[in-house]
Amino acid sequence: MNRRSNKYILTENLDWEELGGGVSRKMLGYDNQIMMVLVKFEKGAVGSPHSHFHTQATYCVEGKFEFEIDGEKQIVKAGDGVYIEPNLVHSAVCLEPGKLIDTFSPVREDFLSGEGPSYFGDKN
């Protein structure tokens, strides 16, 4: 299936998609090869341990988070980046309210279908 977003995604025109547990997101662009997502966290929100076959690169726009990747913990703050290899178990706890930009390759079909993720709060 050939999927792709519009060429320009203006965040002021997008509603936050509530994922539960103090986490919400906006899709910033995607095609079959890549996806970029803005994720907003309230203090104390948790991305529970999970893994997926996608490569993930994350940029911390604002706030402070404790990430754990494959058993290794690290505090990440605004301006820092995170790289997550496919299939590694990872999680995050929001220490200060913030926003992350998650980039995935290939596209997260589960995000587009409404089937996932289940690792944020109450959704699915």
Side-chain angles (χ1 to χ4, degrees), residues 53-108:
F53 69 88
H54 310 82
T55 298
Q56 179 177 342
T58 296
Y59 174 75
C60 183
V61 177
E62 61 186 52
K64 187 185 286 186
F65 298 81
E66 181 182 70
F67 275 82
E68 184 171 351
I69 303 170
D70 199 29
E72 181 182 341
K73 291 184 179 182
Q74 177 66 51
I75 302 294
V76 174
K77 62 185 182 342
D80 293 338
V82 177
Y83 168 72
I84 303 168
E85 293 179 41
N87 302 310
L88 289 184
V89 175
H90 56 284
S91 61
V93 176
C94 182
L95 305 175
E96 295 176 4
K99 293 179 183 166
L100 301 173
I101 295 177
D102 287 337
T103 306
F104 301 97
S105 179
V107 65
R108 291 288 305 257

Side-chain angles (χ1 to χ4, degrees), residues 28-69:
L28 298 180
Y30 58 89
D31 66 13
N32 290 333
Q33 303 303 312
I34 193 166
M35 173 179 270
M36 185 167 57
V37 181
L38 177 62
V39 188
K40 179 172 66 172
F41 289 79
E42 295 174 10
K43 182 177 181 176
V46 175
S48 299
H50 64 283
S51 65
H52 44 74
F53 69 88
H54 310 82
T55 298
Q56 179 177 342
T58 296
Y59 174 75
C60 183
V61 177
E62 61 186 52
K64 187 185 286 186
F65 298 81
E66 181 182 70
F67 275 82
E68 184 171 351
I69 303 170

